Each structure stands twice: as structure tokens, then as C-alpha cells.
Amino acid sequence: MGRKRKVRRQQHGSVWHWKQTDAWYYTLPGTKKRMALFDEQGGRIKGLAKKLEAERALAKVKVGIADNDPGFTPEAEWLVARVCSDYIQYCERGVPKGTTTAGHLRSTKSWLNDLCAYCGALPLSQLKKGHITTWIETHSSWRSTETHRGVLSVVLAALNRAEEMFGVANPLKGLKKPTPKPRLQSISPADEQIIYANLEPQFRNFLFAALHTGLRPFCELAQVKAEHVEQTPRGMMWRVYSSKTKKTRKIPVRPEVAKLVQQLIKDAPAGSGRPLFRNTKGNPWQRTAGVVRFLNLRKKLGWYGDPVRGKYTCYSCRHTFVHRMLSGYWTNGVGCSIETVAELIGDTPKVAFDHYGREWGQHYQAPLWAAIGEQPKATSSRKPSAVKLRKKVDA
């Protein structure tokens, strides 16, 4: 005896309530896609007691379909512009709470508004991967694959939020982002001294600390205050909070940095509310100020066009710290492990390895040399005199 056929409780085209979301939906005949019903204020109709209101909303949708051509988009269907607007508002609410950075909000507004100008009126169900690819290709200034990754990350984040919060299907699932490229701009000791010699004391101290701690320049180092400094029997330690990872870590700092902090802490003691590293106006360093100063520095030193020096930025100090830790710059040529450097810089071991490990990691390269029968050779890694360097920084 055959199995009895399951009878649908309601025909397509009727309102139905979904217990999981407590909201009302409808499914058009000939389709399998559920469509949410919205009230006059644009909010979802929720609650079992609002069946009549849901039926009225569906009636308006059916009238719109009957009065328009076959390509008519029901009011309840999401457009690309609506997805972008919702995500921008979400980021704006997150900035005061500290869950979203101001830089992410700026990038999100710029990129999503640009996307809306390109295809904002397009129904989300009709959005294809080709639309996004063509949109990116129309911007000749977006040459870097890192820029492409950033743009695609924001677009996918907006679509994922709409899917998570409102049940809207993401039409770009499976869209691949460009593979990240390793960040290998490491400042040589000679260039480090040239940079220090051409900067004012405030910015010089800031870069010196960034290069010797590996902290993210603006979301970590620029926020360090006297309250975050702790003196232990082995030396100075900092308690660092990252607004990027939303995590706090405790790291030791080198003696030359500790000496510099002991001087700076006199002008920004605990309770003053002022960070240790401040600009010429006494305010925390901002990303835009760092960019402008490095642009002026490269112009002053004639480094434009140089394949290495022309790429130096504030963030290069972080890369330099990692390079020196992995190569044993401060430990007589004995480099530390990826796991250790990842803890110091606040990254996961995988991210640290993907960015730096293959190029600079001794613990990765040594087994490769051993496999072909080559033994490690003794190296004498000499660094510039710390006394000379501190005199320059303290001046």
C-alpha cells in the first residue's frame, strides 16, 4: 500500500505563520520562496493574533502584482539599496557601542553608497556575481587586491546580515575573495635611523614604540595610558586592548621602550585621561595624521618610486617588529616561534603564519634546510647601538 500523500495545510498565495520567527509570510503560486509581510511602518507583522493584518498586507501585494507588469517587484521584496541601508545603520549604531570602528563605518558608507548608485534599484533576488565583478572593474583606482578584498568583505557582510536577521537569501554565496598577499615591508636598521632623524619628537617616539612593540599603531598603541602600564620584577608590561579584535592581552616591552615610557608618563600620569603617545597638539595620534606625515617624509627623502622605501607606512613598524622577532634580531640570531609572535602582536597563529611565517619564520624554514642535508650556520646578528638609538629618540 502506497504512502498517503501529505496534504498542504494552506494553498500557495495564503498567509501563514512561522513559529520560529513568530512572523507572517506568504508564498506566491508557482514558487517555493517565502516572502515576509510588512506593516505600514515597514516592520514585520508578528504574533498569531495579527492574522487579519497579515491578510490585508497580502491583499495589497496582490493588487500591486495585478496592476503592474509581470516584472513587478512586490513591496516586501528586498532591493540592493535596502540591504546596504540596513547594514550602514547597523554600523552607525555600533560605533558608539564600540562594536564597530569609525574607519570601518567610513569605508562601509563609501563603498555601499557607490554600489547603490550602480545597482541599488535591483531586486536582491536578481543580483548576480557578475554585477559585483563588473562594478569593481569600473573603478580604475581600485588596483590593489587588498582593496578588492575589503570591498567584497563589506558587501558580503551586508548580505549576510540581511540573511541572518530578516531571512533574505544571499544571492552571492560562494563568491570568492582574492587571496591575501603577505605584508613584507620591513624597515631596515639604516632606514630606521634616517626616519628618526627627519621627524619631530612626538611622531618619532610614536614610531619607535610601534617598531619595538609590534602593536597596531592607532587602535592599540595610540590608546595606551599610564593605567595600562605595570612594572614587574622582570620589567615593564602593558595591558593592551584592541578595538579590532575586541580582546585584551598582556605583553612585555623592551627596556628601551620602558625607559621612554617612564619619561612620557610624567606628563600623562594615571588618572589624567591622556594617552602616553600624543601628537604635537596633545591629542591621540590618528590614522590620517600618520598617513600625511609618511607622505611628506617620503617626499622629503626622495623615496617615491623606490620599490621598498616607497611603501613604508606606520604599519610597516608592526611588520618590522615581526621580522626582527622571527629572525632573532634582539636574541643573537635565534628567532622565536610563530605562536609566540602571534601572542605578542594579537593575531592568531594561522594569520601570523600566512602573513609572515613562510618568508621569515626560522621554525618553518629550518626543517626544510635539514631535509636537504644543510645544517644551520652560525650567524652574528648585530643591531645598532641601543645607547645611540635611545639618545635619538629621547632628544
Side-chain angles (χ1 to χ4, degrees), residues 349-362:
K350 182 183 184 306
V351 171
F353 179 77
D354 289 345
H355 285 174
Y356 312 108
R358 286 186 173 86
E359 185 72 17
W360 294 332
Q362 286 185 3

Side-chain angles (χ1 to χ4, degrees), residues 84-110 112-113 161:
C84 295
S85 176
D86 175 76
Y87 188 70
I88 290 174
Q89 293 177 43
Y90 165 73
C91 293
E92 288 175 340
R93 294 192 299 269
V95 171
K97 300 176 186 176
T99 56
T100 304
T101 63
H104 179 73
L105 176 60
R106 285 193 300 271
S107 300
T108 297
K109 282 185 174 180
S110 174
L112 293 188
N113 283 329
R161 171 175 166 78

